[in-house]
């Protein structure tokens, strides 16, 4: 499969081959031998075979909470357990909101219930706006501009906002939520018993440093709630509560037009129309790997699937099974809402790969949406038009390889591949296409645990007992990517004489990687290099 890359950067890619004479000369100088990682002695990683534990179980998860619903010790033990062995699939839907900052690690049960109601209503408002943009025809540009102007004229961040108007918002949402619970679509939604003053809500951990300039979904449209109801939006547009893994076509020729101008602070209606079109193209290309892991969604009826597909304007799905149609419809609903929430990024190919596993785990769309928002706080930089985020990450991978294996790095230099562009896809979709579905979730959970520790400001002295002197890092994924290349150093040096050949090797890794061995090697790189890599 071709590497994910926007076509407008193709002219800047390095040469993919090296003169034959240079390659022969290089091979004659190098003594190629396998280079196993040095003995760690007592510095054994949490993912080594002797130290690895079982995944976090339901009983262990329940025992982590105090009577008021707060995690014991601020969540330190929780993060330690997750990063060592991952999470049992049966409780992922409950645990992920903590890892992805939907809930603060120090929040109580009452606070989380109030946040859940508030977040649900905010998501529903985004979906109403998407529905109107989809159905207003020639009024699209007027409607879109009204949405953007209204949103940007109010509070700058719904994540940090917690003003006096929240109480009314939460109360209204709770009434709506209670009514919706009684409908067949929402029989599995958790009942909210406690009421909590909005002033006491803990929405997010730490400071919001993602750089997102987003639409404030908590701000009402110019119409009243009564007038909103007269739009006759289908209930399914708001509640795609489900009963994935997206394989978007990397050769999609229209990908450049998705992003429009570099400055997304003032997006246009045609931008959103383009996002809508490409989201639908990517959604129907989703593969069915997730079905085995989500029996509830896999059993959805044809009528229900087609109902939701029509609600979000999904077409050309005759070749799909009902469960795939349903999954594609959920992809459309959540990705459209995110495009309005974060118009600077909007939608770009690869985002569906990141969302699909979340939808497979989270049965309610509003919960999946906010988990995706938390995920994208780190990942959104992968989808910037200027590719600054991608270039920074590939530069870090290059530094890791250079510091760890100078012979391999010099070989890459000979091939003009030292910029590590052959790992572009791994960075963009975070190993989603190189690992199996379950392995992807395990890697992401460990990565999220590191990021949660940083957000919660868990100090190195505390983390030392968890990490064995390796501090939490936002860049664990990059160390894992470097480790996957270092594991193949001998093959790369001996047999590959062009970047295209290395690229094919990286693309052929799918299904051949041991995620825990990968994390074990990544741990060693973090221990030895984290203070040398900026």
């Amino acid at each position: 499969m071709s590497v994910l890359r926007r076509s407008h950067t193709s002219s800047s890619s390095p040469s993919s081959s090296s003169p034959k004479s240079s390659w022969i000369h290089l091979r004659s100088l190098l003594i190629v031998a396998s280079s196993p990682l040095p003995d760690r002695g007592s510095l054994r990683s949490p993912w080594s075979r002797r130290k690895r534990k079982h995944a976090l179980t339901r009983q262990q998860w329940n025992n982590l909470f105090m009577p008021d619903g707060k995690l014991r010790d601020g969540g330190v033990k929780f993060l330690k357990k997750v990063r060592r062995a991952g999470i049992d699939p049966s409780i992922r839907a409950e645990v992920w909101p903590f890892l992805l900052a939907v809930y603060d690690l120090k929040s109580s049960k009452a606070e989380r219930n109030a946040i859940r109601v508030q977040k649900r209503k905010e998501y529903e408002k985004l979906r109403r706006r998407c529905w109107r943009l989809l159905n207003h025809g020639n009024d699209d540009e007027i409607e879109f501009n009204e949405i953007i102007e209204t949103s940007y004229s109010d509070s700058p961040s719904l994540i940090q906002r917690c003003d006096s108007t929240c109480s009314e918002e939460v109360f209204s949402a709770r009434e709506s939520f209670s009514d919706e619970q009684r409908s067949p679509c929402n029989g599995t939604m958790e009942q909210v018993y406690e009421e909590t003053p909005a002033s006491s809500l803990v929405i997010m951990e730490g400071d919001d440093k993602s750089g997102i300039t987003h639409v404030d979904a908590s701000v009402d449209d110019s119409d009243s709630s009564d007038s909103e109801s007269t739009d006759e939006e289908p209930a399914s547009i708001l509640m795609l509560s489900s009963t994935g893994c997206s394989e978007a076509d990397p050769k999609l020729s229209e990908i450049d037009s998705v992003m429009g101008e570099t400055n997304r602070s003032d997006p246009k209606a045609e931008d959103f129309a383009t996002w809508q079109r490409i989201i639908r193209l990517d959604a129907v290309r989703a593969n069915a790997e997730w079905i085995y892991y989500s029996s509830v969604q896999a059993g959805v009826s044809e009528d229900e699937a087609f109902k939701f597909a029509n609600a979000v304007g999904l077409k050309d799905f005759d070749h799909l099974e009902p469960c795939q149609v349903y999954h594609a419809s959920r992809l459309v609903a959540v990705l459209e809402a995110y495009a309005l929430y974060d118009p600077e990024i909007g939608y770009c190919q690869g985002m569906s790969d990141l969302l699909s596993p979340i939808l497979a785990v989270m049965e309610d769309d509003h919960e999946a949406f906010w988990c995706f928002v938390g995920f994208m706080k780190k990942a959104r930089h992968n989808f910037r038009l200027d590719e600054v985020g991608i270039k920074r990450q590939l530069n870090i991978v290059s530094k890791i390889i250079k510091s760890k294996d100078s012979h391999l790095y010099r070989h890459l230099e000979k091939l003009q591949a030292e910029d590590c562009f052959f790992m572009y896809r791994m960075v963009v979709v975070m190993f989603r296409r190189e690992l199996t579905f379950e392995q992807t979730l395990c890697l992401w959970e460990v990565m999220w645990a590191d990021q949660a520790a940083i957000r919660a400001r868990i100090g190195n002295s505390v983390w030392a007992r968890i990490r064995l002197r390796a501090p939490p890092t936002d860049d664990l994924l990059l160390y894992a990517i470097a480790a996957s290349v270092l594991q193949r150093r001998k093959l790369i040096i001996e047999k590959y004489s062009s970047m295209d050949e290395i690229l094919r090797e990286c693309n052929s890794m799918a299904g051949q990687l041991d995620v825990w061995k990968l994390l074990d090697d990544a741990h060693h790189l973090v221990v030895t290099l984290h203070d040398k890599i900026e």
Side-chain angles (χ1 to χ4, degrees), residues 92-93 96 100 244-247 286-287 289-290 293-294 297 327 330-331 350-363 368 371-372 375 429-433 435-442 444-445 448:
R92 277 178 169 145
W96 281 12
L100 292 168
C245 182
S246 176
E247 285 288 345
N287 69 37
E289 186 183 4
W290 59 270
Y293 301 90
S294 184
Q297 292 186 61
H327 187 74
R330 297 188 70 207
L331 282 170
M351 290 168 62
S352 58
D353 289 83
L354 303 185
L355 173 60
S356 187
I358 295 177
L359 290 181
V361 170
M362 311 299 294
E363 294 186 6
C371 284
F372 185 62
F375 194 3
V429 294
M430 300 186 175
F431 267 120
R432 178 61 200 96
R433 300 188 185 183
L435 296 173
T436 65
F437 186 90
E438 180 62 26
Q439 286 181 326
T440 298
L441 300 191
C442 291
W444 287 2
E445 286 164 355
W448 293 340

Side-chain angles (χ1 to χ4, degrees), residues 361-412:
V361 170
M362 311 299 294
E363 294 186 6
D364 291 291
D365 279 13
H366 77 280
E367 293 183 333
F369 173 80
W370 291 111
C371 284
F372 185 62
V373 167
F375 194 3
M376 285 295 290
K377 283 189 173 298
K378 176 72 175 176
R380 70 187 296 273
H381 302 292
N382 293 354
F383 304 100
R384 290 173 56 95
L385 178 63
D386 57 17
E387 297 190 323
V388 169
I390 289 293
K391 291 174 182 176
R392 183 196 76 83
Q393 292 177 84
L394 291 176
N395 184 51
I396 291 176
V397 175
S398 179
K399 288 181 178 180
I400 294 171
I401 293 175
K402 183 178 181 180
S403 299
K404 178 61 184 175
D405 193 327
S406 59
H407 284 184
L408 175 59
Y409 185 80
R410 285 198 296 271
H411 180 62
L412 295 177

Side-chain angles (χ1 to χ4, degrees), residues 47 61 63 77-78 85 126 154 175 188 210 253 260 290-291 369 414 440 444 455 478 489:
W47 305 293
W61 171 241
N63 291 339
K77 186 176 180 180
F78 158 60
L126 286 169
D154 290 278
E175 286 186 321
T188 60
S210 66
S253 60
W290 59 270
I291 294 176
F369 173 80
K414 290 285 186 180
T440 298
W444 287 2
R455 287 195 308 270
L478 305 183
R489 68 173 304 276

Side-chain angles (χ1 to χ4, degrees), residues 23 411 415 491-498 501-502 505:
W23 162 240
H411 180 62
L415 307 184
L491 181 65
I492 292 172
I493 294 174
E494 286 186 337
K495 295 187 177 181
Y496 295 150
S497 57
S498 72
E501 292 178 332
I502 302 176
E505 172 64 25

